[in-house]
Structure formats: C-alpha cells, structure tokens
Amino acid sequence: MRRIPLPRPEIRSGDSSDDYEDPDQVFPKPQAVNLAEDPDQIYSKLQSVNMADRDVFLPVPVWGKGRYNSLCSDDELLDDDNEPISSHRSSWQDYGLSTLQGSVYLPVRGRVLAPPPRDGPSPETCPVLKIGWLDKNPTQGSLYYQRRWVKLDVDYLRYFDNDKEVYSKRIIPTAAITGVTNVGEQKFEVVTANRTFLFKAESDSERNEWVAVLQNFTRGRQEGSREMTSLVPPSFLTPGSPLTPEQQGYLELRGLRSKLYTVVSGDKVFLYKNMEDYRLGIGITSIDMNVGNVKVTDRRSFDLTTPYRIFSFLADSEQHKEQWVEAMRDAIGEALSNSEVANQIWAEPSNGCCADCGAAKPEWAAINLCVVVCKRCAGEHRGLGPSISKVRSLKMDRKVWTEELIQVFLLLGNERLNRFWAANIPPSEALSPTSCSEDRRRFISSKYRQGKYRKYHPLYGNQRELNNALCINVQCSDVLETLCLVFCGADVNCSTGQTDCPSPLSLALAHNQKLQAQFLSHNLNTELPRSEVTGDMEPRHYSPQHPVTHNGFLFKTASMVRPITERKAREEFSRRWCMLNDGNFSYYESDKTSTPNGALKSTEIVCLSVNTPERHGYDHTFELYSDSERLYLFGTDDQDSHKEWVKSITKMFIPSNAEALLRLSFERIGRLKYKDGLNLQSPRVGWFALVGSSLHAYLEDSEEEEEIHLRKLQELSIQQENEVLVLVERGRTLYIEGERKLDFQGWCVGIQKAAGSAGDSLSQQQLTEADIPVIVDRCIDYITQCGLTSEGIYRKSGVNSRVAALCEAFRRDARNVRLKEEEHQVDDVSNTLKRFFRESGEGLFTIQAASAWLSTPVIPEESKKISQYQLLLSRLPRVNKATLRALVNHLYCVQRFAELNQMNLHNLAIVFGPTLFQTDGKDYTAGRVVEELIEHYTDVFEVDEQQLKRQLDEITVIIKVREKLNLNSSVPASGSAGDFICTVYLEEKKETAEQHVKIPGSMTAAELTCEILDRRKIQVREKDYWSCWEVSQKEETERPLHHLERVLPILHSLGTDSHLLVKKNLAMEAILVYLASKVDVSKHGMVKFREERSILGLGLNTGSFHDRYFILNTVSLRMYKEVRSNRSEREWQVKNLRVYLGIKKKLRPPTCWGLTVIYKSEKQEKPEKQQWYLCCDTQTEMREWFSTFLTVQYDGNVWPVDAVQTRVTRALPVDTRHAL
Ligand SMILES: [Zn+2]
C-alpha cells in the first residue's frame, strides 16, 4: 500500500485544536489478507493494531470546517443535503461533482456528450435489491425535501440526482448501516455509526417495502456479524473501506474548492469528502475503472475519463500525479483483466445467476463443487471451510482460473449442476436474492455439507461399485457424471488397480481427459456430504490442522547423526509403544509407562523417508529427520500399520497448504529451503515430496502444486561444496539449499537417482521437453548436423568398442553426453542409436502392440491402412509416441537426401525394421512397417507441410555450407563441417569488429554472446546486459534476441541487409525494474498505429498514423478504435508477433519512440504476414510496451536469472523438428 503524504492542513486560528483521533488507532487498518487463509488468523490480523504505521498518518485535516461554515453547514460538502434546492442551486454546482447538466467546468472539457453505451460494460454488476424515487430529508434550516433516485444492492445504498445519473451523490455501504426505523408519515431513517439519513416515500406502503427490504437485508448481517467477522474477509463487511488501497490521499478535483479523499482500490476509485468519511466507509461515489481511461493533461493534473464523465484531478506535485496516474492505470488493467474470467464463465447462460439464491452476475465460485455463486452466498460457502467448498473469486483469483477450469465451468453450468445438487428442494427452503444471511447459511450447509437436496446416484451406498464406476467414467468426457459419483461417495483417491495409473486422476490424465483431471484435482481432499450431520447449524470454524491421533507398537533403533548406509538387523530394533497426539510423536518403553523415552514435536520433524521394503531386518521401515540433525528409524512387519503411521505422521507435520502432497505415494517428504526466479537473495521455505521420477513442491507464495520432472531436467548438479542442489528446467532454475546436512544428503541422493535412467525401456530414460529420450534426441541431432551426406549412413557399422562406450555413457547420464564431430564418428553414433532401440526393454512399438503393427501392411486399401497406423500410434504410451514420431521424421529426412547418402526408403527399412521390432530380420514384415511409416509419414503423423519444408530447407543450407567448407577451406573437413559459419559484429558494424562464428543448430543467443565476449576477452560485469541483436538496416530496426532463442533459424531468415550484432542492452535494467513492479502482465493504452499497405504490389506505402486503443494480455493484442469501443477492430495472437525497436524514417513516425511489428500466422491453409507500426508518446511508454511483449512472449523469463547460467553451453532440443 502506498500513501501520499497528506497536504499540510491549512489550519486556521481557532481550528487548531486537533481532537480527531488517529483512525488507525480506532479501527485497525485493513491489512492484506490472504483469502485462503484460516479465518481465525484473518480475525486476529484485524484485531492487531499496527502501531508502527501510526506515524505515517497525519491527523485528519480540519481545514474544511471553517472554510465552508459560511457557505453551508458542517456536513455534506458535495451533497446538497445542506442546500435547499431553490436557494443555493448555483453555489453547490461550483463543487463540480453534481449533476451532469449543470456543472460549471464540466460542460466544456469534462462532459461526455455521447449517451452511455447501452450494451457497454455497465458500471453496475451487483444485483439491485430495490430501486426508486424517495425524498431525502431537508437540511438544517430548510423545509424542502430533495427528490433522489435511490438504489439498494448487496453492497451499497446509493442515491443519485436522477435515474439517468451514473455517479452517486452518496454511497453508504450496507455493512455500515446499523439500523433502519420507521418514523411515521411515510418516513424512515437509515442509521449509521455517525449519521442518520431520513427518507420519505410517496406512500406508507412504499415506505414499508423499503424498510422491510433494508431491515431484512441488514438484520441477518448484524445478527451474524460476530461469526461474519471471523469467517468472512473484511471486504465483505466494509465494502466502503477497500481492503488494500493501492493509493489513497487527498486530490483536488478541478473546480472544486476543496480536496477529496481519493482511494484507488482494486478495480475502482472511491471519492470521499475526507479521510474521516473514508474511515467510516461513507463516500460520495465510486468509479468503476472498466470503463475508465487516464490521460495526463499537465504537469500536475490528469483526467480520469469514463463514458459518463470526465474527472479532472490536480495532484500536489508532479511526482504525486505520476503515482496517481499509475495507480489508476493499474486499476483499469485490473478491471479489464478481472472481468475477463467472469465474462468467460458467464458465457454459459445459467452461470449468470447464483447457483444458490439466483442473484444476477455472481462473481464467486466454489471451484470443487463447480457452482458459480454470488458474494453473499460465497460468504456462507466460505464458512463451510475449504474442505467442503473451495471459494474463489472470478475477478480476483485470476491465477486459479486455468483454461481447463474455465472449460469445466462452461461444460457443467449452474443449471445442470443444480439438477444434481438441488434435485429435491422443498419450496419453503429455497433461497431468493433477498434472503437473509441466516437462511442462506442454513440452506448452503444443507445443500453442500449434508447433500440434503442432491440426486442420489443409483450406486449410492455401494462403495466398490462407485469407485469402479468412477475409474471407468474418468476416461470419458462426462465430468457431470464424475461429479455425481464423487459427491455420492466414490473415493477420488481409490486404487484403480493399474500400476501405471494408480489413481483416478492419473487415469484421467492418461486418457487425456483434462477436464476430468481438473475436477478431480480440486476434490482430492474434499469432505463428502454427510446426511447424518443434522441439527449442527453452528457455523463451523475451519481448522487447518485436523487433530491427528494414532498409537501402536513400532520397532525403533537408537537415533543416529549419520545417514544409514548399512542394513539394520532385527536385533538392533527394540519394541516401543508410540503415540501421536496433539502435535507430538512420542515413544514409550511399553503401553503401560506414562513417561516417554523420547518425543518429537511436529514442528521439529523436517523430513520423512519411506524405505524400500526389506531394506532392514523389519520388512517395512521409515526414517524421521529432526531439525536438530538426528535420524530415527522405525520398523514393523505389518504393511498396513506402516502405511497408517506414515500417513498419520506426515499429516501431522505437513502444513495444510501443502497437504495435497499427502495423497502421493512418496518416498521422501519434507521441507527444504530454496531460491528461484527473481528471488535469489533470501531463501524461502518449500514443501517437497519425491515420487518416482517427479519432485512435487509447494513453494512459498504459491497455492498451486508444482511438479518437476526430474528426468527432463536440463541440468542437475550439486554446487558450493555440496550445499546447493541446482535443478535447471527449461526457463527456470531452482536452487535447493542444504539447510541441514543430514536430510539434505538424503534428498540429494534420492533426487539424483530419480533423475537418472531407471532401466532400459524408453520411458525410464532421461527425457527431453518433448518426451523423447535424450539419447535419441542427441543422436538424431548429431546425424542431422554431420551425417546426412555420409554414404551408407545407418547401414555401415561403427567400431564396436566405441559404440559400447558411447552407449554406456548415455546410460550413465545422457544429459552430460555432448556429441562432437571432432570426437565422435558418424557411424559410431548411428550405431549407438540403433543399439539403443534394439536393446530397449519392450521395444519402440511395445511387446503387446508389436503384432498389431506387423499385421498392418497386409491391409490392401491405403486409406484404411493409414487409419490403422494412426490408431496404433494413438495407443502407444506418450514417450513411445513422441519417439516414434521423431525417429520417422529423421528417417524421412535421411531418405530425402538419398542421392547423397545412398540410403533410400527401402535401404533404411531393411536396417530399421528388425532393429525397432527387435526381430532377427529373416523376413521383411518389420521392414515393410518402417518403410510404410516413412512413405506415409506426412499422413500418418499429420505433419504440417510448411514446417516440414522449412526443416528440409534448413538441412539443405547445412549441407551446402559443409560442401563449401570442404571444397574451399584448408581446415580439415572433420574440423568445422556441419555448422553454419556467420559473421557477427561487436558493438557496431565495421570490419574490425567482425567475428566469424560457427553456429551449431542448438546454439542460443546467450551462448553466441558469450562466445563473442570470450573471444574478445571482455569481462562481463554485473548489470552489463550483453545481448545479441538482429539489426535491419533497410527497416531501420533492431531487436535483442531472447537469450534462449536459437540463432540458426534467425540467421536463415535474415535478409542481405540485416546482420547480427553483440552489444549491451542499455534498456534492460529499466525493463526488469518495470516488470518487477508489475503485479500482472498486461498493458493497455493509446498508441499511434499505422499499417504497411502496398498498392498493386508495388510496395508503395500509404496511410498514416492514427490513434488506437490497445490492450495486451498474456494471449492476445487487441486494437480498439477508441477507449469506449466494445469490440476490437483487430486481434493478434501474441505468440505470432515479433516486435522490433524503431520505425523507418520514411514513414514519418510522429515521434521517435516507435516499434515495428511483424505478424506471421502459422495457419496451414493461409500463411499470412503483416507488418505494422506502433508509435508512443514517450520513451517510457514505448519501453513499457516492449517490456510487456517480452514478458508475455517468454513467460516472464526476460533475462537469465544468473549470468553464470548462460555460460553453460548446452544443447537445447530443436523445437522445429520435434514439434512437427
Ligand atoms: Zn447467491
């Protein structure tokens, strides 16, 4: 939260007695609270008064008082309460924020003449409970009532000048209303803590209606307020005092002689008369920023424009202005990206009404129950606790809304769901949008905690059948049926009986049922509805730690301070009575003794590891590690008891936010310190579980579980004298620190083992990102670079001893094998690949499916044959499928160059048939399969022909360069062949700065940069952002390559007037600082746009620059004719854009801060290329756009986390080839 220092009050004599209380002292300042956290904690946070912040707050200024006494009474500066209409109309108009029609300064600049767009985004999304004309009480000394248009919704009671006005004169949070009373003569009072509002209706019956709805609405609140305080985050209670203001302070609204206390919070801007009012939540109006736009008008002033009005603000200083502008722009961004998810979810019509009470435009959802609910119902859902209902906001919890989760909500929808959840509701129990909190609580608890109204599944009560049905159903797309099964008792964590897919979740994933998987993953720990819970209407307080108790006998050795390397015999164990209670694990001499021999608190346990059976004298053992570096070994012969203990102990020491780890069958689980991303300064705490070849993690600040595929790591090393384990994934590096030696050693050994190959089948190998064994990828890459012209490639045999050594090296640690032409012979590598396939455990086609593949060539009709191949392909395990695709692609390329290597289709098939099917090669059946796969490669694998063509072009270039080198160069052919040689300049294009560099296919921009700097012996200092640039002289543009971008394809695409240049990126520091300050990645604003148009293909440029409004988010860039446009004129996928700095001067860009953008669509039917230009007003603007493009295109990985990493030469998988 940022605060602007308040303006020094203009204290007048007599007014200096400052008897205002510091608001922080009275009401605790709202703090940032995590909605997912324990409500009790939220409550205690609210209770704690942050004294440290007090000094920041200056006393509330009292300057308004004296000044306005002459004009109006001490209240209602902007409201006309104090001013009888007849007498003072003109004077209050001076204050600006009154009606649209009569404002003194608004009509010229401020007023927007166009009527509000009818179908446009309405600033009002809350369901209106009651609306109508009322007369508001006259002010002191006046007899006249004022006619007001009054509107009540869930959050606010507001009144307006008339029924056309969008911005209220007064906004009172319903939560601030303490009483509503009938005072006779068609009148009623609305009472708040410090003010009473008197209204008069046109009739008694109308008055009674208002009183009834207000009372009904506020009574539930007040009665439930004690529970509400503890269960509901404060935003529910005090919508008027925003939870975490982004910016707050006094701002002058032009034309108004006083300053307003202005608060930017979330996607709204609130205006208050002063800070006191802000504290009480009673404001003037709120401005929804989804229709807003901010424009700087002068050094200290700026306009907030909406379709309905322009608010002209004046800040105290230029610096403050910038802070306000930025905060308001952020709020716009927030509003725009916020409504994105909601609008998507509401696309299903029945999601437009609350699943529980029917209120319109519900903005919350229970993501495990799959219902969309309104704010009031969401409050009650939250009261059920996250084990029953996981409540998330459609607008604020953006991270949770993955594409799949949104799809689940669209697929199901409130209406279909209610046919299950609400199949049997007695009319007397049903809710309406105006139901009171008490009714809501009762209904929602009955509906979801007890499952009282649900439609029972025919299998209800039969656990085995339910589980069985669940396992079958998750393989198809019927998520609703899965939901019915689960909420009728099917066990989400039941055993499927399949070793490769042990759980319904893994089964769903294996069948590519992503929506099913999404649903299951949110229900792994859900407490099922229990009808037997009756009469328990007390709001249940959710406690994150379920009290765990467990006891029984275990066998224990003496505790140790070193890892256990030897087998512990039965004699070394002693029988102990063990108890888990109250967060303590203690062991006793026997079940009769009352003093324990020893005990471990849950907070002391840092790791638990499960040993493989029969490792020690007792069959089933586990190890506990304490933070004081001791190791305890426990054992039993009873497998079930072992399982139960492991489950109970882990449940005790794993915190609730990471408890999803408990569902895994881990070998090791515990907490470790780690660093990653931009946070390399201070290590944070993460919870990790090692399962097979995966490391699952709950990292601090992240709600989502992360899974790291250890066999897919690009690098795994132990650094700094065994104290840091470095895991390099594509695009990110995780450093795990050895906080304590003992358990860290165990983690290192376990992770290293899990990251290596586990056997000889394909899936047990170290894999690339694309799920291809590293050995296969490296060999194919090498042959493509160096072996395509080698005569008889794959038929000639290599030197046996060298092939064996290479196979062994790959088997040991494929990741660290680098094939180099100087060191390795083409035929040795080709035979290594063949030997790997021949010896791989179950073969590429798998033992079960091999015969089906072998019988396919006899199918006479070609189209049927291809379909059969496709069917068989689709049934292969993931890794086999990816590998077969990569291999056939490779063989296809090899035979395309048969005139050079003499290996045509048939020759290759003879070699690879028996190799891949692991047969003796006596008949040609196996060869026929391989031959047909290569022949029909594009059909069977549905290959993008464009991409294939590019790949072949690339190979042709490689071959040509090799030929050239072999003919012309004095360098021995084997020395430099295979790589592209190119000229790279250092810092500027001149002959003396020229460097000739060999560019292997895998070389990244960062590697090239290092190579150049190394050659010139240039030391890289901190904050020297050396980059490789693509420079076009003709277009007058340049672009820094991304550090992971491969150079070779760029080289191929460069025209003759372009070159590569290595120089520092001077803007990078500013880019990183800007990005670090952003909460979300999106940007929007006005930019001048011009399109490249050529007339009759003559390349004549026409057109000029026009103002357009752009919105850039993580997926697309959209262009609007103007801010208020509802529909975008154009939309581009960000991934298809390439953004260059600069615009050629010939086009006469209005400023020098321009970007040239090239759009290339990859669509098969109609490849498209466009070029257009964006021109910004300032360098900062341009830099922000450019930064946002970068971070969107590279998932936030704009600069390598540590410079050292870029120096590690490593071959990245060649995307263009495997992505076919
Ligand atoms: Zn509702």
Side-chain angles (χ1 to χ4, degrees):
M1 173 162 57
R2 189 171 43 203
R3 278 206 196 95
I4 297 249
L6 299 177
R8 207 2 98 185
E10 301 161 36
I11 297 170
R12 291 166 186 247
S13 57
D15 259 336
S16 57
S17 66
D18 183 359
D19 53 4
Y20 275 90
E21 284 171 294
D22 182 337
D24 269 4
Q25 230 174 343
V26 186
F27 282 170
K29 188 168 54 65
Q31 299 180 4
V33 278
N34 176 357
L35 296 190
E37 102 190 289
D38 175 13
D40 289 341
Q41 278 180 19
I42 295 174
Y43 186 58
S44 68
K45 271 195 188 175
L46 283 172
Q47 294 297 303
S48 71
V49 175
N50 193 342
M51 298 301 284
D53 269 354
R54 275 199 52 204
D55 295 342
V56 186
F57 242 97
L58 291 172
V60 173
V62 293
W63 43 277
K65 265 188 177 175
R67 176 140 36 125
Y68 286 98
N69 271 345
S70 56
L71 255 180
C72 50
S73 64
D74 65 342
D75 197 6
E76 312 293 297
L77 167 64
L78 292 148
D79 195 356
D80 43 344
D81 298 40
N82 314 296
E83 306 301 313
I85 291 172
S86 53
S87 60
H88 279 80
R89 185 98 196 167
S90 58
S91 66
W92 59 253
Q93 277 171 354
D94 290 347
Y95 305 141
L97 234 189
S98 57
T99 62
L100 225 145
Q101 294 88 346
S103 162
V104 164
Y105 65 94
L106 285 180
V108 188
R109 286 189 325 121
R111 205 170 126 202
V112 177
L113 293 166
R118 287 215 152 251
D119 50 349
S122 154
E124 197 103 36
T125 48
C126 262
V128 174
L129 300 173
K130 186 150 176 65
I131 192 162
W133 290 102
L134 286 173
D135 286 332
K136 211 182 109 4
N137 62 310
T139 44
Q140 293 115 314
S142 165
L143 298 169
Y144 299 96
Y145 275 87
Q146 296 149 1
R147 201 164 154 75
R148 292 283 168 258
W149 181 248
V150 187
K151 197 187 270 188
L152 173 70
D153 65 31
V154 173
D155 291 330
Y156 302 105
L157 177 67
R158 276 180 262 220
Y159 54 83
F160 303 81
D161 258 342
N162 58 54
D163 57 348
K164 306 283 185 305
E165 187 55 75
V166 170
Y167 298 108
S168 59
K169 300 186 77 64
R170 179 57 75 202
I171 175 166
I172 307 156
T174 50
I177 298 174
T178 54
V180 181
T181 38
N182 183 339
V183 288
E185 293 174 7
Q186 303 148 42
K187 284 185 271 186
F188 65 97
E189 278 179 352
V190 174
V191 185
T192 70
N194 72 334
R195 218 170 291 175
T196 299
F197 300 86
L198 182 72
F199 293 100
K200 187 176 177 198
E202 280 170 3
S203 67
D204 274 339
S205 65
E206 175 69 8
R207 187 265 324 269
N208 292 347
E209 267 181 44
W210 274 103
V211 171
V213 64
L214 274 162
Q215 278 182 343
N216 182 20
F217 186 73
T218 51
R219 184 177 46 215
R221 276 233 168 140
Q222 287 144 30
E223 282 173 5
S225 64
R226 265 188 45 207
E227 295 88 351
M228 290 286 286
T229 323
S230 58
L231 288 171
V232 179
S235 61
F236 282 82
L237 286 173
T238 51
S241 18
L243 188 57
T244 46
E246 300 297 330
Q247 174 94 354
Q248 56 187 11
Y250 282 95
L251 258 188
E252 189 173 327
L253 188 63
R254 277 284 178 90
L256 194 68
R257 274 178 289 160
S258 76
K259 297 183 178 184
L260 294 180
Y261 198 74
T262 309
V263 174
V264 184
S265 173
D267 56 0
K268 290 187 175 59
V269 170
F270 294 83
L271 301 180
Y272 298 87
K273 195 180 110 191
N274 53 37
M275 188 160 64
E276 162 92 284
D277 272 7
Y278 162 61
R279 179 169 75 74
L280 294 163
I282 306 214
I284 298 161
T285 197
S286 70
I287 304 160
D288 285 276
M289 296 298 270
N290 59 342
V291 292
N293 186 31
V294 179
K295 288 198 182 90
V296 172
T297 51
D298 196 5
R299 211 171 55 80
R300 291 196 289 128
S301 60
F302 62 97
D303 284 355
L304 166 58
T305 55
T306 76
Y308 319 102
R309 161 160 300 171
I310 295 175
F311 299 86
S312 297
F313 290 109
L314 182 67
D316 289 339
S317 68
E318 195 168 356
Q319 190 199 350
H320 287 164
K321 177 210 71 188
E322 269 163 28
Q323 290 177 5
W324 281 105
V325 166
E326 196 194 321
M328 289 194 187
R329 285 192 173 145
D330 284 350
I332 294 172
E334 181 93 7
L336 292 176
S337 54
N338 275 352
S339 36
E340 223 168 74
V341 170
N343 288 335
Q344 270 178 287
I345 298 274
W346 293 335
E348 151 63 40
S350 70
N351 288 343
C353 298
C354 172
D356 296 331
C357 73
K361 300 269 178 200
E363 293 182 358
W364 295 78
I367 55 167
N368 61 324
L369 308 172
C370 301
V371 290
V372 187
V373 296
C374 72
K375 188 192 246 186
R376 295 187 73 197
C377 290
E380 302 305 336
H381 271 260
R382 201 177 284 282
L384 297 173
S387 64
I388 293 177
S389 179
K390 295 189 171 74
V391 184
R392 296 288 185 276
S393 162
L394 302 187
K395 297 207 160 174
M396 293 178 289
D397 296 317
R398 254 165 289 154
K399 249 173 76 186
V400 77
W401 292 103
T402 59
E403 201 40 53
E404 276 114 20
L405 186 59
I406 294 173
Q407 287 304 324
V408 169
F409 272 75
L410 292 178
L411 177 72
L412 299 178
N414 279 350
E415 192 196 339
R416 297 184 65 207
L417 280 164
N418 269 338
R419 280 184 230 152
F420 168 74
W421 281 117
N424 311 296
I425 302 183
S428 63
E429 293 185 23
L431 289 186
S432 77
T434 53
S435 297
C436 67
S437 306
E438 220 173 298
D439 289 345
R440 277 174 209 267
R441 191 170 313 147
R442 193 178 300 122
F443 176 85
I444 286 165
S445 172
S446 302
K447 188 172 172 185
Y448 302 105
R449 193 201 295 177
Q450 300 171 32
K452 189 174 165 188
Y453 313 127
R454 79 196 129 148
K455 181 174 163 189
Y456 286 95
H457 195 277
L459 297 173
Y460 184 77
N462 188 337
Q463 190 66 51
R464 247 188 68 191
E465 287 305 311
L466 280 170
N467 291 355
N468 203 13
L470 178 67
C471 294
I472 294 167
N473 193 64
V474 295
Q475 305 176 26
C476 77
S477 59
D478 190 351
V479 183
L480 186 60
E481 173 72 6
T482 301
L483 181 136
C484 300
L485 284 164
V486 167
F487 290 107
C488 281
D491 181 2
V492 179
N493 300 303
C494 70
S495 162
T496 61
Q498 299 183 22
T499 44
D500 46 343
C501 305
S503 67
L505 177 59
S506 53
L507 206 54
L509 286 171
H511 286 81
N512 206 21
Q513 293 298 340
K514 291 189 186 139
L515 305 192
Q516 296 270 19
Q518 225 357 275
F519 170 77
L520 292 173
S521 67
H522 289 299
N523 279 294
L524 292 168
N525 300 303
T526 300
E527 235 173 86
L528 294 181
R530 279 169 310 176
S531 309
E532 62 272 19
V533 187
T534 49
D536 176 20
M537 285 298 123
E538 298 293 297
R540 227 168 50 109
H541 291 267
Y542 170 66
S543 58
Q545 291 277 348
H546 302 288
V548 185
T549 55
H550 191 65
N551 52 43
F553 282 105
L554 278 174
F555 296 87
K556 175 184 174 298
T557 63
S559 67
M560 285 153 270
V561 291
R562 272 191 205 90
I564 305 171
T565 46
E566 73 288 11
R567 181 185 164 88
K568 296 276 179 194
R570 278 181 97 87
E571 302 79 64
E572 294 176 69
F573 287 82
S574 358
R575 192 166 183 253
R576 291 283 176 265
W577 175 252
C578 298
M579 271 176 76
L580 262 188
N581 205 351
D582 220 12
N584 279 309
F585 174 64
S586 27
Y587 45 91
Y588 299 78
E589 200 65 33
S590 79
D591 55 343
K592 306 284 184 293
T593 31
S594 55
T595 322
N597 288 7
L600 278 167
K601 282 202 194 82
S602 63
T603 48
E604 285 177 285
I605 304 176
V606 292
C607 177
L608 180 147
S609 106
V610 179
N611 292 320
T612 45
E614 295 171 31
R615 160 123 193 248
H616 298 293
Y618 282 89
D619 286 354
H620 302 283
T621 51
F622 63 88
E623 298 167 5
L624 282 182
Y625 294 77
S626 77
D627 61 355
S628 53
E629 306 252 8
R630 289 198 89 80
L631 192 171
Y632 302 78
L633 178 66
F634 293 91
T636 167
D637 281 335
D638 178 3
Q639 192 180 350
D640 290 338
S641 152
H642 174 260
K643 217 169 140 187
E644 199 53 45
W645 275 109
V646 167
K647 200 174 123 194
S648 307
I649 295 173
T650 45
K651 203 165 180 179
M652 178 179 84
F653 81 93
I654 298 293
S656 58
N657 62 348
E659 69 183 3
L661 293 176
L662 302 180
R663 76 183 193 279
L664 304 165
S665 49
F666 45 80
E667 291 137 48
R668 184 174 282 273
I669 188 166
R671 87 174 131 93
L672 287 166
K673 282 202 169 161
Y674 74 95
K675 293 178 188 172
D676 76 340
L678 289 168
N679 259 311
L680 292 174
Q681 278 71 41
S682 50
R684 295 185 287 176
V685 174
W687 292 88
F688 294 82
L690 182 61
V691 186
S693 62
S694 290
L695 186 65
H696 295 254
Y698 268 91
L699 302 180
E700 210 172 284
D701 299 335
S702 157
E703 262 187 55
E704 300 290 309
E705 180 182 327
E706 290 187 44
E707 185 178 355
I708 299 165
H709 298 278
L710 296 170
R711 285 209 198 105
K712 287 196 188 177
L713 290 179
Q714 290 179 353
E715 216 180 291
L716 174 68
S717 55
I718 300 179
Q719 288 180 2
Q720 292 174 13
E721 292 164 18
N722 298 333
E723 277 164 6
V724 183
L725 188 60
V726 185
L727 290 81
V728 183
E729 281 183 288
R730 193 181 176 86
R732 105 129 186 231
T733 306
L734 184 69
Y735 301 83
I736 296 181
E737 300 203 336
E739 191 187 356
R740 299 157 304 266
K741 249 197 176 121
L742 194 55
D743 62 308
F744 181 66
Q745 251 176 323
W747 280 106
C748 287
V749 171
I751 289 174
Q752 280 180 313
K753 187 156 169 272
S757 71
D760 52 12
S761 79
L762 294 181
S763 62
Q764 287 170 314
Q765 307 305 310
Q766 291 176 358
L767 300 173
T768 67
E769 198 68 23
D771 277 328
I772 299 161
V774 172
I775 173 172
V776 175
D777 187 66
R778 294 268 159 94
C779 290
I780 289 181
D781 203 20
Y782 176 87
I783 301 286
T784 307
Q785 292 285 325
C786 321
L788 285 189
T789 54
S790 169
E791 203 178 313
I793 176 81
Y794 286 117
R795 196 166 52 190
K796 287 200 290 188
S797 52
V799 175
N800 201 17
S801 59
R802 290 203 301 249
V803 173
L806 202 48
C807 283
E808 178 51 31
F810 271 117
R811 198 161 293 148
R812 226 177 15 246
D813 189 3
R815 212 175 283 122
N816 283 322
V817 179
R818 312 262 170 228
L819 295 174
K820 295 189 185 124
E821 198 169 16
E822 310 87 80
E823 286 173 34
H824 301 100
Q825 306 298 313
V826 166
D827 293 325
D828 294 341
V829 175
S830 67
N831 279 283
T832 300
L833 182 65
K834 274 159 56 186
R835 187 178 291 191
F836 168 74
F837 280 119
R838 183 168 271 286
E839 292 174 357
S840 88
E842 43 176 19
L844 181 57
F845 296 96
T846 73
I847 295 162
Q848 306 90 306
S851 61
W853 283 91
L854 289 170
S855 58
T856 307
V858 300
I859 298 175
E861 202 181 312
E862 193 169 291
S863 64
K864 279 195 184 148
K865 190 188 294 196
I866 287 168
S867 319
Q868 173 68 7
Y869 278 131
Q870 286 178 331
L871 179 73
L872 292 172
L873 180 69
S874 71
R875 287 184 184 162
L876 282 181
R878 203 177 62 236
V879 173
N880 298 49
K881 204 188 302 175
T883 310
L884 180 59
R885 171 184 283 266
L887 180 67
V888 176
N889 168 261
H890 173 60
L891 297 180
Y892 177 85
C893 294
V894 173
Q895 57 90 36
R896 282 294 293 264
F897 295 91
E899 76 268 28
L900 298 172
N901 58 38
Q902 310 305 323
M903 292 300 283
N904 60 21
L905 198 57
H906 186 71
N907 290 343
L908 283 172
I910 290 175
V911 175
F912 274 92
T915 303
L916 299 182
F917 282 96
Q918 303 176 340
T919 58
D920 54 14
K922 277 185 188 142
D923 67 72
Y924 187 58
T925 329
R928 172 67 37 80
V929 175
V930 173
E931 185 171 335
E932 290 184 349
L933 286 177
I934 301 172
E935 193 183 345
H936 302 297
Y937 166 62
T938 52
D939 293 328
V940 174
F941 294 90
E942 292 171 338
V943 177
D944 177 346
E945 309 247 358
Q946 285 283 330
Q947 221 159 358
L948 183 61
K949 188 178 169 296
R950 271 205 295 279
Q951 188 189 356
L952 290 169
D953 288 348
E954 197 174 308
I955 293 174
T956 310
V957 172
I958 292 173
I959 290 175
K960 276 195 188 136
V961 172
R962 285 175 63 90
E963 269 171 5
K964 215 162 145 193
L965 285 165
N966 287 344
L967 288 174
N968 305 340
S969 157
S970 56
V971 188
S974 63
S976 59
D979 299 318
F980 204 90
I981 303 276
C982 93
T983 308
V984 181
Y985 297 92
L986 181 65
E987 295 195 297
E988 61 179 309
K989 189 184 177 187
K990 55 179 186 190
E991 230 168 84
T992 49
E994 242 176 50
Q995 293 287 326
H996 300 282
V997 188
K998 205 164 69 163
I999 314 277
S1002 61
M1003 186 180 245
T1004 63
E1007 287 162 2
L1008 176 59
T1009 308
C1010 288
E1011 168 100 33
I1012 298 285
L1013 297 178
D1014 281 352
R1015 284 194 193 184
R1016 288 300 189 96
K1017 305 225 167 9
I1018 293 173
Q1019 281 281 314
V1020 178
R1021 282 175 317 225
E1022 205 186 340
K1023 305 207 167 162
D1024 276 355
Y1025 297 95
W1026 286 98
S1027 307
C1028 178
W1029 299 69
E1030 175 189 346
V1031 182
S1032 166
Q1033 284 157 299
K1034 182 175 139 225
E1035 296 289 332
E1036 299 165 41
T1037 59
E1038 58 179 20
R1039 177 179 79 92
L1041 301 193
H1042 185 256
H1043 60 99
L1044 291 178
E1045 210 170 327
R1046 287 189 318 124
V1047 182
L1048 198 59
I1050 303 291
L1051 267 181
H1052 292 160
S1053 67
L1054 284 187
T1056 45
D1057 43 24
S1058 300
H1059 59 271
L1060 292 182
L1061 179 76
V1062 168
K1063 64 171 181 178
K1064 287 183 201 170
N1065 187 344
L1066 300 174
M1068 189 46 86
E1069 181 78 12
I1071 289 176
L1072 294 174
V1073 167
Y1074 168 72
L1075 290 175
S1077 72
K1078 294 271 290 181
V1079 184
D1080 66 317
V1081 280
S1082 66
K1083 178 156 176 69
H1084 50 88
M1086 298 299 288
V1087 183
K1088 294 183 172 58
F1089 172 82
R1090 171 181 174 145
E1091 202 163 358
E1092 178 99 303
R1093 285 207 203 117
S1094 60
I1095 296 175
L1096 302 170
L1098 294 174
L1100 296 172
N1101 289 302
T1102 60
S1104 54
F1105 284 87
H1106 293 288
D1107 274 332
R1108 286 291 180 271
Y1109 189 71
F1110 282 87
I1111 299 180
L1112 170 63
N1113 65 21
T1114 53
V1115 184
S1116 61
L1117 176 70
R1118 277 172 292 170
M1119 179 170 90
Y1120 296 83
K1121 187 138 196 193
E1122 51 186 322
V1123 190
R1124 285 150 48 199
S1125 308
N1126 296 317
R1127 222 162 251 234
S1128 59
E1129 283 185 299
R1130 302 274 286 274
E1131 178 165 357
W1132 301 270
Q1133 298 296 305
V1134 183
K1135 67 172 166 45
N1136 295 333
L1137 300 179
R1138 187 167 278 183
V1139 186
Y1140 294 82
L1141 298 162
I1143 297 179
K1144 57 184 162 204
K1145 290 183 199 69
K1146 217 171 71 188
L1147 298 178
R1148 302 223 189 110
T1151 72
C1152 58
W1153 313 118
L1155 301 171
T1156 298
V1157 183
I1158 294 179
Y1159 166 81
K1160 264 190 205 164
S1161 91
E1162 306 258 322
K1163 271 192 202 143
Q1164 236 165 305
E1165 325 83 69
K1166 204 180 110 206
E1168 203 189 345
K1169 189 182 163 185
Q1170 303 166 0
Q1171 182 161 332
W1172 36 268
Y1173 310 92
L1174 299 176
C1175 199
C1176 304
D1177 288 340
T1178 64
Q1179 185 182 25
T1180 315
E1181 265 294 295
M1182 180 193 71
R1183 195 169 276 164
E1184 289 179 6
W1185 280 104
F1186 190 72
S1187 309
T1188 313
F1189 275 114
L1190 279 184
T1191 192
V1192 166
Q1193 293 189 317
Y1194 296 102
D1195 275 339
N1197 177 18
V1198 167
W1199 190 257
V1201 168
D1202 55 334
V1204 187
Q1205 198 191 319
T1206 65
R1207 300 222 148 211
V1208 179
T1209 315
R1210 60 168 175 265
L1212 290 174
V1214 185
D1215 290 333
T1216 48
R1217 219 182 43 236
H1218 299 312
L1220 283 174

